[in-house]
């Protein structure tokens, strides 16, 4: 057989393919959805359920507990309105008492600590996400693959979360939160890449929606668990969310199937054929020969070198990073800052999770199949950023209007977050897709690193958090003008194939 051809027999037909044939081969085999693909997509998205819980668990575990005045002779003591630091220890007490600490604030006496100390656990978590993503992002394209990286990330995150519940002080607690962040860094994007590479083009948005839906359901479940355990120690919350995550990690390792696209690119043709047989219509006696273009990319940083070497890829990556930074700063900040709005924290978290869930359904069932990526991202960044700036100026004096505008901003942030993750998957070929997508997501995490401190500052002046969120997202949104449109385009597998398709698209303009 010639060096530049590949032949596969699929359900009795012969397909002759050149160097751009992997998309055709996989589309022919798994283009039609079936129960196996649905089960595999759901299974790959379950870790996102626990990912969201560990990301937003600090809303409840690190919250300021309610308290009451105990000295009726002190007229300056007004429950939950006075400054605790201006009162003596005999003038007030926590509502939960001294035996049960519902938050790290009461257990470790952090009510008068500065913003740096109080926000250190949350900041440590997001710093861990940032560092972990930089270290682990290329492993999914190299020796680990999609499946093993997903299972490893989920397991490390959950084990560190379990250890967090046994922390003796805020310093050890911050270390475990850091390790949990390192573990979950590549989880969401690896799950998204794994899902999209194992179904046909027509079903990618729908199956990707499954993963995002699990993320919102995780927040809803977290809120429910936090409400049910609101009179228990904050350590119980970690126990209830980490143990199921550990079980999920082990289950995924034994039941998940690897991406056939990644196996093709590694030169592991027989293994890829086995996966295609399980996922689709490839018969047992079917033959497929992929040319020697397969890279056997086992070096952890080989894909990163390819991205840097190609000028168009580096430009695309840097532009996506700036865009994602602004979106990430606002997206995570809007969720983590629900306590700053003056509403019931459980109701606010529930509304936020439901709005997030609605955005996922709208994004993947309607928006992605029908709408332009660039114009959509630009529009959501402008509307979300502007609205956030406006209600940060209004402050808490117009509660109804503030809550309404906050929900609009959150919805736009969720839509932009969904779109940019899917957009990034479409911008880069298979050989570097996991690395590029992970690095772009790391830009979002970099934005979230600043959120805990901004949120604490925003308790005094909302401009310090929501104003900063809005301005950053507004200006970063204009970066989409430097990116190509990807709607309706097939996923490329090699850098050469991507270059050829881009040149052909430019020649038509």
């Amino acid at each position: 057989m010639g060096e530049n051809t590949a032949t596969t027999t699929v359900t009795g037909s012969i397909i002759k393919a050149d160097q751009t044939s992997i998309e055709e081969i996989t589309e022919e085999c798994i283009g039609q959805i079936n129960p196996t693909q649905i089960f595999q997509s759901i299974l790959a998205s379950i870790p996102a359920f626990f990912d969201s819980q560990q990301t937003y668990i600090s809303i409840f575990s690190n919250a300021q507990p309610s308290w009451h005045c105990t000295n009726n002779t002190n007229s300056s003591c007004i429950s939950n309105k006075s400054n605790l630091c201006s009162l003596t220890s005999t003038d007030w007490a926590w509502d939960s008492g001294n035996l049960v600490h519902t938050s790290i604030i009461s257990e470790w006496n952090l009510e008068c600590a500065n913003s740096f100390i109080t926000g250190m656990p949350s900041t440590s978590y997001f710093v861990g996400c940032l560092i972990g993503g930089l270290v682990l992002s290329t492993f999914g394209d190299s020796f680990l693959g999609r499946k093993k990286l997903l299972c490893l990330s989920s397991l490390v995150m959950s084990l560190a979360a379990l250890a967090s519940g046994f922390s003796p002080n805020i310093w050890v607690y911050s270390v475990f939160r850091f390790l949990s962040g390192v573990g979950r860094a590549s989880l969401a994007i690896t799950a998204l890449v794994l899902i999209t590479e194992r179904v046909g083009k027509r079903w990618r948005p729908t199956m990707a929606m499954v993963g995002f839906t699990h993320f919102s359901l995780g927040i809803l479940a977290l809120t429910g668990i936090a409400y049910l355990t609101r009179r228990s120690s904050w350590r119980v919350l970690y126990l209830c969310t980490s143990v199921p995550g550990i079980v999920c990690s082990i289950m995924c390792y034994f039941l998940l199937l690897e991406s056939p696209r990644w196996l093709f690119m590694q030169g592991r043709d027989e293994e890829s054929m086995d996966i295609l047989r399980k996922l689709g219509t490839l018969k047992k006696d079917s033959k497929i020969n992929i040319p020697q273009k397969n890279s056997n990319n086992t070096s952890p940083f080989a894909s990163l070198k390819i991205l840097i070497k190609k000028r168009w890829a580096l430009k695309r990556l840097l532009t996506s990073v700036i865009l994602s930074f602004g979106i990430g700063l606002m997206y995570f900040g809007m969720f983590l800052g629900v306590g700053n709005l003056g509403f019931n924290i459980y109701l606010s978290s529930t509304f936020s999770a439901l709005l997030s869930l609605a955005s996922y359904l709208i994004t993947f069932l309607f928006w992605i199949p029908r709408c332009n990526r660039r114009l959509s991202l630009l529009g959501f960044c402008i509307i979300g950023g502007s609205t956030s700036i406006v209600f940060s100026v209004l402050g808490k004096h117009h509660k109804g209007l503030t809550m309404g505008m906050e929900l609009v901003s959150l919805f736009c942030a969720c839509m932009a977050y969904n779109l940019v993750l899917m957009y990034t998957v479409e911008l880069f070929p298979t050989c570097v897709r996991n690395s590029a997508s992970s690095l772009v997501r790391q830009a979002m995490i970099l934005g979230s690193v600043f959120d805990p401190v901004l949120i604490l500052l925003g308790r005094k002046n909302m401009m310090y958090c929501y104003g900063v969120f809005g301005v950053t997202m507004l200006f970063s949104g204009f970066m989409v003008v430097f990116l190509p449109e990807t709607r309706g385009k097939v996923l490329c597998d090699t850098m050469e194939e991507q270059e050829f398709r881009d040149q052909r698209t430019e020649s038509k303009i």
Side-chain angles (χ1 to χ4, degrees):
M1 185 172 294
E3 181 179 335
N4 294 327
T5 62
T7 303
T8 178
T9 306
V10 181
T11 61
S13 62
I14 303 294
I15 297 177
K16 289 186 177 180
D18 57 14
Q19 292 187 354
T20 65
S21 64
I22 294 179
E23 171 71 22
E24 298 174 3
I25 294 168
T26 54
E27 192 69 26
E28 181 71 18
C29 296
I30 59 177
Q32 296 298 320
I33 200 71
N34 59 44
T36 302
Q37 292 180 32
I38 295 174
F39 171 75
Q40 286 289 316
S41 297
I42 294 174
L43 186 62
S45 64
I46 291 178
F49 182 91
F50 302 102
D51 175 20
S52 64
Q53 293 184 345
Q54 295 310 318
T55 299
Y56 299 117
I57 196 171
S58 61
I59 295 175
F60 307 102
S61 65
N62 301 9
Q64 176 79 29
S66 59
W67 57 277
H68 61 273
C69 298
T70 57
N71 188 352
N72 296 326
T73 61
N74 188 348
S75 59
S76 64
C77 182
I78 303 176
S79 297
N80 290 314
K81 291 185 179 180
S82 300
N83 183 359
L84 283 178
C85 301
S86 64
L87 303 174
T88 64
S89 59
T90 59
D91 288 333
W92 64 277
W94 301 113
D95 287 348
S96 59
N98 294 323
L99 296 179
V100 177
H101 295 285
T102 59
S103 167
I104 65 170
I105 301 296
S106 61
E107 179 160 348
W108 294 326
N109 300 317
L110 301 176
E111 60 272 9
C112 295
N114 59 44
S115 299
F116 174 78
I117 297 296
T118 308
M120 184 170 59
S122 297
T123 301
S124 298
Y125 177 81
F126 288 112
V127 170
C129 294
L130 181 65
I131 295 176
L134 294 175
V135 173
L136 300 176
S137 62
T138 60
F139 290 2
D141 287 325
S142 54
F143 67 97
L144 273 184
R146 287 33 167 162
K147 170 190 167 180
K148 290 182 179 179
L149 179 57
L150 177 64
C151 296
L152 177 64
S153 297
S154 179
L155 183 61
V156 171
M157 175 192 71
S158 299
L159 287 174
L162 179 62
S164 298
F166 296 93
S167 302
N169 54 58
I170 191 173
W171 309 106
V172 175
Y173 177 65
S174 297
V175 170
F176 285 131
R177 293 300 291 154
F178 171 82
L179 294 176
S180 186
V182 170
R184 63 82 60 179
S186 300
L187 194 152
I189 201 66
T190 303
L192 177 61
V193 170
L194 182 59
I195 291 171
T196 54
E197 290 184 347
R198 294 186 309 180
V199 295
K201 179 177 66 174
R202 177 185 174 187
W203 297 99
R204 282 172 194 149
T206 304
M207 290 299 101
M209 179 194 68
V210 175
F212 285 90
T213 301
H214 274 80
F215 193 86
S216 289
L217 293 177
I219 302 175
L220 282 173
L222 172 67
T223 304
I225 296 171
Y227 181 77
L228 293 174
T229 61
R230 64 189 182 281
R231 294 185 177 89
S232 303
S233 170
W234 59 272
R235 300 174 188 274
V236 175
L237 190 58
Y238 273 99
L239 185 66
C240 293
T241 55
S242 60
V243 173
I246 295 171
V247 175
C248 169
S249 305
I250 298 172
M251 181 180 66
C252 287
Y253 181 81
F254 290 103
L255 297 180
L256 265 181
L257 299 176
E258 183 56 88
S259 164
R261 282 176 170 271
W262 177 79
L263 291 170
F264 272 139
M265 298 308 297
Q266 295 296 306
R268 296 158 63 176
D269 301 350
E270 290 301 321
E271 294 178 59
S272 183
M273 288 175 61
D274 290 338
I275 300 296
L276 290 175
R277 291 189 185 100
K278 295 175 182 178
L279 289 173
T281 59
L282 190 62
K283 292 183 178 180
K284 187 174 182 180
D285 58 350
S286 300
K287 300 295 183 182
I288 182 170
N289 295 310
I290 302 298
Q292 295 182 358
K293 66 179 181 180
N294 296 337
S295 58
N296 285 323
N297 178 15
T298 58
S299 171
F301 302 104
S303 55
L304 188 59
K305 293 178 181 178
I306 295 173
L307 281 169
I308 297 175
K309 184 178 180 180
K310 296 288 185 178
R311 184 177 178 182
W312 63 267
L314 181 60
K315 177 183 176 183
R316 192 171 294 185
L317 179 64
L318 293 177
T319 304
S320 302
V321 162
I322 298 173
L323 170 65
S324 299
F325 175 84
I327 294 174
L329 179 74
M330 183 165 178
Y331 175 81
F332 290 103
M334 295 296 281
F335 278 103
L336 294 171
V338 293
N340 282 11
L341 299 174
F343 299 97
N344 182 285
I345 191 172
Y346 300 103
L347 287 177
S348 298
S349 296
T350 300
F351 288 148
S352 298
L354 290 174
L355 192 66
S356 173
L357 180 60
S359 75
Y360 295 146
L361 297 175
I362 293 172
T363 300
F364 293 101
L365 291 181
F366 173 78
W367 216 275
I368 285 181
R370 296 175 176 83
C371 298
N372 183 289
R373 311 294 193 250
R374 295 196 302 174
L375 289 179
S376 297
L377 275 170
L378 181 60
F380 286 122
C381 287
I382 292 176
I383 296 173
S386 301
T387 308
S388 183
I389 294 171
V390 171
F391 84 75
S392 68
V393 174
L394 293 176
K396 302 178 183 179
H397 304 295
H398 305 82
K399 283 195 172 182
L401 182 60
T402 298
M403 187 63 182
M405 298 187 76
E406 190 272 343
L407 291 176
V408 172
S409 296
L410 176 60
F411 178 77
C412 290
C414 289
M415 292 292 289
Y417 178 85
N418 304 340
L419 285 169
V420 78
L421 286 180
M422 195 67 189
Y423 190 27
T424 305
V425 170
E426 298 172 341
L427 281 172
F428 297 92
T430 302
C431 61
V432 295
R433 183 173 296 126
N434 201 82
S435 299
S437 300
S438 295
L439 289 173
V440 170
R441 180 169 169 78
Q442 290 318 108
M444 293 182 173
I445 301 302
L446 178 61
S448 67
V449 168
F450 301 98
D451 285 333
V453 175
L454 290 174
I455 290 167
L456 290 172
L457 294 174
R459 291 179 179 176
K460 297 180 180 179
N461 188 335
M462 292 176 65
M463 277 297 296
Y464 291 136
C465 57
Y466 295 109
V468 174
F469 297 161
V471 170
T472 307
M473 184 176 181
L474 181 64
F475 285 100
S476 64
F478 287 98
M479 297 303 296
V480 296
V481 300
F482 300 106
L483 295 172
E485 181 56 44
T486 59
R487 179 193 166 199
K489 303 293 179 62
V490 300
L491 296 180
C492 296
D493 294 293
T494 65
M495 300 297 282
E496 293 75 16
E497 182 183 345
Q498 186 76 55
E499 290 174 346
F500 176 76
R501 194 190 73 179
D502 292 344
Q503 291 172 0
R504 186 171 57 183
T505 301
E506 291 175 1
S507 64
K508 293 180 180 179
I509 299 177

